[in-house]
Amino acid sequence: LPGSTDKEKFDALCSQTHKEQIEWFMNAYWSEYGEENAETMWAWNLKCAELDLQDHEEGSSLDELNAHRFLEHFNEPMTVRELRDSLRSTGAISGSLRKVPVTHIIIFKFKLDWKELVNRSIANQAELAKAQQMLEGVTASFKEAEARTEEARKLEAPFKAAQEEVETALAAVHKEESEYNGKIADCEKRAETGGVVSRNKAKAELAALKAEDPLPLRKAKITLEAAQKRAEKARAPFAEARAAAEAAMEQARKQVEEAEAYLNEIKNQPGQPYGSIWWVDRELHEQKKYLPEAKGGIRKA
């Protein structure tokens, strides 16, 4: 942390984002409190972002009203006044403060020494930087896949409409063909029965029918052909967009696998910033909600 004194380091910590403050605590006290309270800290971060009405996840503190709401939501047996009085007594804060960083709440809840908190050594960040980079790559890939998927959705609508036109036109052709074939069968039957005059009349009608399709059937076939051409024209861009979306999603899935493998490799090595590694792993887990379940995704709540 930047600063030449403990107080400057503490102020620097409290000026970081909600998430960064929580990660610092989890790294500094992973074995004592971080690991067993990891999911709680995840929920704290989400709530801070929700209640920070101005800066959300980029914010560093809550106003007094929303700090009260935060404490009530998590059933924390403390008030903002109690929290401030406790921190003032240790020299962590002084004067009148209108904002409550999550670090203040963490110190009060876990009864931490704020000087020890800011001076605890955080492990080598090299592996974490790589893991964070891989997570950013996964996030970017899912955004790309989502954009491709949305493009495919937009192109699917005209393709489906064209397909419906084909189905309607095909049904019309079948209807006209059925009626036409019925007339043929009727003429053939009458051409074999009855008197000479009626048979000859039926034969003449049959010859006329077989000479060419009747007008309604011809129109139906023309309409079907036109609909099929429109459907084929709409199919190409939709099929291309869908293939691009599937390829982008597959790329994202492979990146998730690679990131998970790397995290599994480093999380058991000594001297790691375990809190931050857990956080990256948790964010990676959230990204898997964008994957189909059949490809290793998880169901969205």
Side-chain angles (χ1 to χ4, degrees):
L1 289 170
S4 57
T5 67
D6 292 340
K7 184 65 169 65
E8 288 178 355
K9 292 177 182 179
F10 184 70
D11 291 343
L13 174 59
C14 292
S15 68
Q16 294 184 351
T17 65
H18 312 296
K19 170 188 167 184
E20 289 169 342
Q21 293 178 56
I22 291 171
E23 276 195 53
W24 181 273
F25 157 68
M26 289 176 64
N27 284 327
Y29 291 90
W30 179 251
S31 59
E32 298 98 321
Y33 307 112
E35 185 173 14
E36 65 179 301
N37 292 283
E39 281 295 337
T40 298
M41 293 298 102
W42 177 267
W44 277 28
N45 178 59
L46 294 178
K47 199 64 180 177
C48 283
E50 177 190 331
L51 293 175
D52 190 337
L53 303 180
Q54 181 175 344
D55 298 314
H56 302 289
E57 66 273 5
E58 296 302 321
S60 59
S61 58
L62 301 175
D63 60 41
E64 190 166 330
L65 175 61
N66 282 304
H68 277 297
R69 289 174 174 167
F70 177 94
L71 296 172
E72 289 174 0
H73 178 79
F74 291 104
N75 298 314
E76 291 296 340
M78 70 179 89
T79 66
V80 172
R81 175 172 291 186
E82 289 173 336
L83 185 153
R84 284 175 174 162
D85 288 345
S86 174
L87 290 173
R88 282 194 187 96
S89 69
T90 64
I93 63 173
S94 59
S96 177
L97 299 177
R98 295 181 177 274
K99 294 286 189 176
V100 181
V102 69
T103 293
H104 290 185
I105 303 173
I106 288 172
I107 289 173
F108 190 88
K109 177 178 176 61
F110 295 101
K111 298 178 174 57
L112 304 181
D113 180 333
W114 66 273
K115 293 181 181 180
E116 182 182 358
L117 171 64
V118 299
N119 285 299
R120 280 220 172 182
S121 176
I122 304 302
N124 190 337
Q125 302 286 304
E127 288 86 354
L128 174 63
K130 181 178 177 180
Q132 187 65 45
Q133 186 177 25
M134 295 178 81
L135 173 63
E136 290 170 0
V138 168
T139 302
S141 292
F142 274 119
K143 286 183 178 178
E144 174 68 15
E146 183 59 28
R148 296 285 187 180
T149 300
E150 182 59 28
E151 183 180 349
R153 287 195 196 102
K154 290 179 180 177
L155 292 171
E156 185 179 19
F159 171 65
K160 280 190 172 182
Q163 283 292 97
E164 289 174 2
E165 283 186 34
V166 170
E167 292 171 5
T168 300
L170 186 60
V173 168
H174 288 162
K175 176 178 177 294
E176 295 298 333
E177 284 181 338
S178 179
E179 291 181 3
Y180 174 61
N181 291 332
K183 291 177 181 179
I184 293 272
D186 179 64
C187 287
E188 288 175 338
K189 182 178 179 181
R190 286 189 289 110
E192 298 298 328
T193 59
V196 174
V197 174
S198 62
R199 289 201 305 272
N200 288 339
K201 182 180 179 181
K203 289 176 182 179
E205 290 178 15
L206 182 60
L209 284 171
K210 289 184 175 181
E212 64 175 349
D213 293 341
L215 181 60
L217 180 55
R218 292 202 303 273
K219 284 185 175 181
K221 287 183 176 179
I222 291 171
T223 300
L224 174 60
E225 184 178 356
Q228 288 172 330
K229 287 181 179 179
R230 285 193 294 272
E232 192 57 37
K233 186 177 180 181
R235 181 196 304 274
F238 167 62
E240 183 179 345
R242 184 172 61 181
E246 290 174 350
M249 190 63 73
E250 178 61 19
Q251 173 65 21
R253 186 193 66 78
K254 288 180 179 179
Q255 286 181 269
V256 168
E257 285 188 350
E258 291 170 1
E260 286 182 327
Y262 181 71
L263 285 172
N264 287 332
E265 177 186 334
I266 67 172
K267 67 173 54 174
N268 294 319
Q269 295 176 2
Q272 297 296 334
Y274 297 113
S276 293
I277 289 174
W278 181 92
W279 203 273
V280 171
D281 196 23
R282 189 64 173 78
E283 289 184 326
L284 191 63
H285 177 78
E286 289 295 306
Q287 290 294 321
K288 290 171 73 174
K289 291 179 179 179
Y290 297 98
L291 271 177
E293 289 185 49
K295 294 190 175 183
I298 60 175
R299 185 169 300 178
K300 295 181 181 180

